[in-house]
Amino acid sequence: MRADAQRNRDRIVEVARTVFRAQGYDASLDLIAKQAGVGAGTLYRHFPSRDDLIDAVMQSWVDGVNETAEKALAREGGPRDVLLGWFEDYVRLISVHKGGPAKITCAMGDDGSPIRTKCEVLRSAGDRVLDRLRAEGAVREDVSALQVARLVGGVATVADQGELDVAAVRPMLEVVADGLLAPGG
Amino acid sequence: MRADAQRNRDRIVEVARTVFRAQGYDASLDLIAKQAGVGAGTLYRHFPSRDDLIDAVMQSWVDGVNETAEKALAREGGPRDVLLGWFEDYVRLISVHKGGPAKITCAMGDDGSPIRTKCEVLRSAGDRVLDRLRAEGAVREDVSALQVARLVGGVATVADQGELDVAAVRPMLEVVADGLLAPGG
DNA sequence: TGCTAAACGGAGACAGTCTCCGTATCGTTC
DNA sequence: GAACGATACGGAGACTGTCTCCGTTTAGCA
């Protein structure tokens, strides 16, 4: 890639990050282009669709995910605490940007999504946490990690769109956690 | 209201119902106006915001909700079956239109929402089901009916946006049900 | 220094939202 | 049944956002 192209691309992503954070993922792309000091054509050449831009914005964020999963695994306490801790972190992670929970949860399991790679990181992090708990026999076997991600993602989506605070989210996560710890069937 | 105004209003709602069902709640309002044979001004006078129109479209649908709750209460079987039956019906009810789950779940608990009245019907139906199960001591007390509605609504939202089928939704609802039946705390 | 492939950028086509205001219609009153 | 005021209509058009096309510019190589 030519040096000027790289420069422009970087600037677009940087501007998009701030704008998305402030206005959500449906902010005007032309505005982002203008703020980045490039033409609309340049933005669309680098990022043919909105999702492609979102994917780029999320790149740095991904690193935090794995770190968080490690933290969850290292947590003291019983399975319920580990699970709840991870759920809360997970919700926080995917809620960094407004509209994020819906975007991510929706893309999860959709192999054609432009943000697929980001979802995989999240999923494999979730897998690690669940696998450990399953190894301890603490969590029911008949629910896949993908379904857990969707459940918790659903809670996060509702919280995000309804602008609920942490206190309102916690009890819902408890229900999900208890449902997973219960024998089920 | 003048007779011609009433006629136009009715036609707009009828057209909107079909268009929303086919294209989702973000269909073009100008198109709906055109199909109803009225000017854009007429549509916007009757329904200042999109949500006002959605509210009107949902009116007939509300009647089905109470009926469904009665059905759930009359269901044979233990608390788990009653709960799961209601959850599945609930998801089906709010998923009649594409985008419905997010719209409804989001408005739930928001007193200023134009579709507030519709949500209340749903909530009171859910309350009746939960109250009966609580009276039997089958369901934990520390989770409100609103939170249950949000949990199940979250599942429905994810299913709607990710176009999941019933088979994928069922296990998630089971987790929620088991979480509610579990002692918790 | 000159050349060419690569990249730029912004005008403009298109689509959707929403308002404004001149025009038409209803229904009431005499 | 004619006249009138309140009510409602409708569509042009201002505005905003998306996305493309193509003439112009520039980086990087020889």
Side-chain angles (χ1 to χ4, degrees):
Chain A
M1 188 184 293
R2 247 168 62 173
D4 55 342
Q6 184 68 56
R7 253 198 321 277
N8 279 330
R9 191 183 188 285
D10 290 349
R11 220 174 32 258
I12 291 169
V13 171
E14 196 169 328
V15 168
R17 199 193 315 281
T18 22
V19 173
F20 282 156
R21 201 177 299 242
Q23 305 186 21
Y25 284 129
D26 50 357
S28 159
L29 297 185
D30 273 25
L31 176 94
I32 290 175
K34 189 163 285 182
Q35 280 202 19
V38 302
T42 302
L43 187 147
Y44 284 97
R45 199 174 328 100
H46 284 297
F47 308 102
S49 82
R50 180 179 292 272
D51 274 344
D52 290 311
L53 179 53
I54 291 172
D55 185 69
V57 165
M58 284 178 168
Q59 191 55 54
S60 77
W61 161 94
V62 161
D63 303 332
V65 174
N66 289 312
E67 200 180 317
T68 305
E70 296 310 316
K71 209 184 71 188
L73 287 170
R75 203 182 307 261
E76 305 276 314
R80 192 172 191 269
D81 293 323
V82 172
L83 208 52
L84 266 176
W86 167 244
F87 284 172
E88 290 197 320
D89 286 339
Y90 183 93
V91 170
R92 200 173 320 115
L93 278 170
I94 68 174
S95 305
V96 167
H97 299 87
K98 177 126 188 79
K103 199 107 225 155
I104 291 167
T105 307
C106 206
M108 202 146 258
D110 171 9
D111 289 341
S113 166
I115 63 171
R116 196 192 65 251
T117 52
K118 306 292 138 26
C119 293
E120 308 237 306
V121 174
L122 265 179
R123 264 175 77 181
S124 82
D127 277 348
R128 286 207 299 284
V129 175
L130 274 183
D131 280 349
R132 204 201 77 182
L133 292 173
R134 285 218 176 94
E136 295 175 12
V139 166
R140 59 199 279 181
E141 303 279 349
D142 63 333
V143 180
S144 71
L146 174 59
Q147 284 168 328
V148 174
R150 282 183 178 143
L151 261 169
V152 180
V155 171
T157 300
V158 170
D160 180 54
Q161 293 177 359
E163 302 193 340
L164 309 183
D165 59 16
V166 186
V169 169
R170 172 91 190 189
M172 295 196 262
L173 295 179
E174 285 179 9
V175 169
V176 174
D178 289 331
L180 284 170
L181 296 166
Chain B
M1 186 185 296
R2 242 167 65 173
D4 56 341
Q6 184 67 55
R7 254 197 319 276
N8 278 331
R9 193 183 188 284
D10 290 348
R11 215 165 45 250
I12 291 168
V13 172
E14 197 170 328
V15 168
R17 197 192 315 280
T18 29
V19 173
F20 281 156
R21 201 178 297 244
Q23 305 186 21
Y25 283 129
D26 51 357
S28 159
L29 297 186
D30 274 23
L31 176 93
I32 290 174
K34 189 163 288 183
Q35 280 203 18
V38 302
T42 301
L43 187 147
Y44 283 97
R45 198 171 332 98
H46 283 297
F47 308 101
S49 81
R50 181 180 291 272
D51 274 343
D52 290 311
L53 179 54
I54 291 172
D55 185 69
V57 164
M58 283 177 168
Q59 191 55 54
S60 77
W61 162 93
V62 161
D63 304 331
V65 174
N66 288 313
E67 199 180 318
T68 305
E70 296 311 315
K71 208 183 74 191
L73 287 170
R75 203 182 305 262
E76 306 276 313
R80 191 171 191 269
D81 293 323
V82 173
L83 207 53
L84 267 177
W86 167 243
F87 283 173
E88 290 198 319
D89 286 338
Y90 183 93
V91 170
R92 201 172 319 115
L93 277 170
I94 67 175
S95 303
V96 167
H97 298 88
K98 177 125 188 81
K103 198 108 226 157
I104 290 166
T105 307
C106 204
M108 202 146 258
D110 172 10
D111 288 341
S113 166
I115 62 170
R116 197 192 65 250
T117 51
K118 306 292 141 23
C119 293
E120 307 237 306
V121 174
L122 265 179
R123 264 175 77 182
S124 83
D127 277 349
R128 286 206 300 284
V129 175
L130 274 183
D131 281 349
R132 205 201 76 181
L133 293 174
R134 285 218 176 93
E136 295 175 10
V139 166
R140 58 201 280 182
E141 303 278 348
D142 64 333
V143 179
S144 71
L146 175 58
Q147 285 169 327
V148 174
R150 282 182 179 145
L151 262 169
V152 180
V155 171
T157 300
V158 170
D160 181 54
Q161 292 176 0
E163 302 192 341
L164 309 184
D165 58 17
V166 186
V169 170
R170 172 90 191 192
M172 296 196 263
L173 295 180
E174 286 179 9
V175 169
V176 175
D178 289 332
L180 284 170
L181 296 166

